[in-house]
Amino acid sequence: MNEFMTKTAYIASSWFNDEQTAHMNGGVAAIKANPTVDFDNSYLPLAHQYKGLDTMKNPELLSDTEWQLATFNGDVQGINNTDLVIALYDPKQENSDPGVLWEVGYAYGLRKPVILVLPDANEIPLNLMPAIGATAIIHVKDLADYNFNFPNYDVYKGQVY
């Protein structure tokens, strides 16, 4: 146990293309290095695939109702059972994932802190809802040092639409 308080996090991310996977992997590595996150008791959906099934290797699962329900309910429980949400989000059109944005909105509705994490070089405007609904918006380079024990609201200063 760390000598100070840590938070558990639901780590929302996408892994459907190479850029999304790179953003997720960079973010996860930085989160693991952050002493205010209890990574071992946090929830990364990719590490909790229903029955260990991989939709990238078995895309037919996406049509399977049992898999859909189990995945949805598992992820909802992951959000319910953690202290906050860290959403690794890339607003580039081909990388924007409505699933991550749903998770952000659900966490907001539960009044959980949401930290939206953008790629370091992002200059793309954000949609108003996640831009204002997130507790704070940071970049991957900020993740390892961000204090998740006190995720204070910070107004997003970037462009929105």
Side-chain angles (χ1 to χ4, degrees):
M1 179 80 176
N2 290 333
E3 67 247 18
F4 52 89
M5 184 171 63
T6 59
K7 297 288 186 180
T8 59
Y10 179 93
I11 303 163
S13 64
S14 305
W15 56 86
F16 305 113
N17 66 42
D18 291 343
E19 274 189 290
Q20 290 174 336
T21 301
H23 184 53
M24 177 186 69
N25 290 339
V28 167
I31 292 166
K32 285 180 177 180
N34 187 307
T36 65
V37 176
D38 178 359
F39 188 83
D40 291 339
N41 292 300
S42 290
Y43 191 94
L44 179 65
L46 189 57
H48 293 88
Q49 293 294 293
Y50 179 62
K51 294 184 178 179
L53 299 170
D54 182 343
T55 58
M56 300 304 272
K57 293 178 183 168
N58 304 96
E60 69 278 3
L61 290 170
L62 296 170
S63 301
D64 183 87
T65 305
E66 178 183 348
W67 180 87
Q68 294 168 359
L69 288 169
T71 298
F72 177 84
N73 287 321
D75 290 356
V76 166
Q77 281 305 113
I79 295 170
N80 290 343
N81 293 335
T82 53
D83 297 316
L84 53 90
V85 169
I86 301 172
L88 303 167
Y89 179 68
D90 183 348
K92 190 186 300 184
Q93 185 172 3
E94 60 270 22
N95 292 336
S96 178
D97 182 355
V100 169
L101 294 177
W102 187 93
E103 293 161 330
V104 165
Y106 180 71
Y108 178 87
L110 294 174
R111 300 185 185 276
K112 290 188 182 243
V114 174
I115 309 306
L116 199 64
V117 183
L118 304 176
D120 289 335
N122 181 69
E123 294 183 9
I124 297 171
L126 293 180
N127 179 278
L128 173 69
M129 301 310 275
I132 301 304
T135 306
I137 299 175
I138 64 174
H139 293 90
V140 173
K141 66 181 172 49
D142 305 315
L143 260 175
D145 297 319
Y146 187 84
N147 186 352
F148 288 98
N149 287 320
F150 298 99
N152 295 317
Y153 184 78
D154 187 23
V155 175
Y156 180 61
K157 296 166 186 70
Q159 290 186 319
V160 299
Y161 64 92

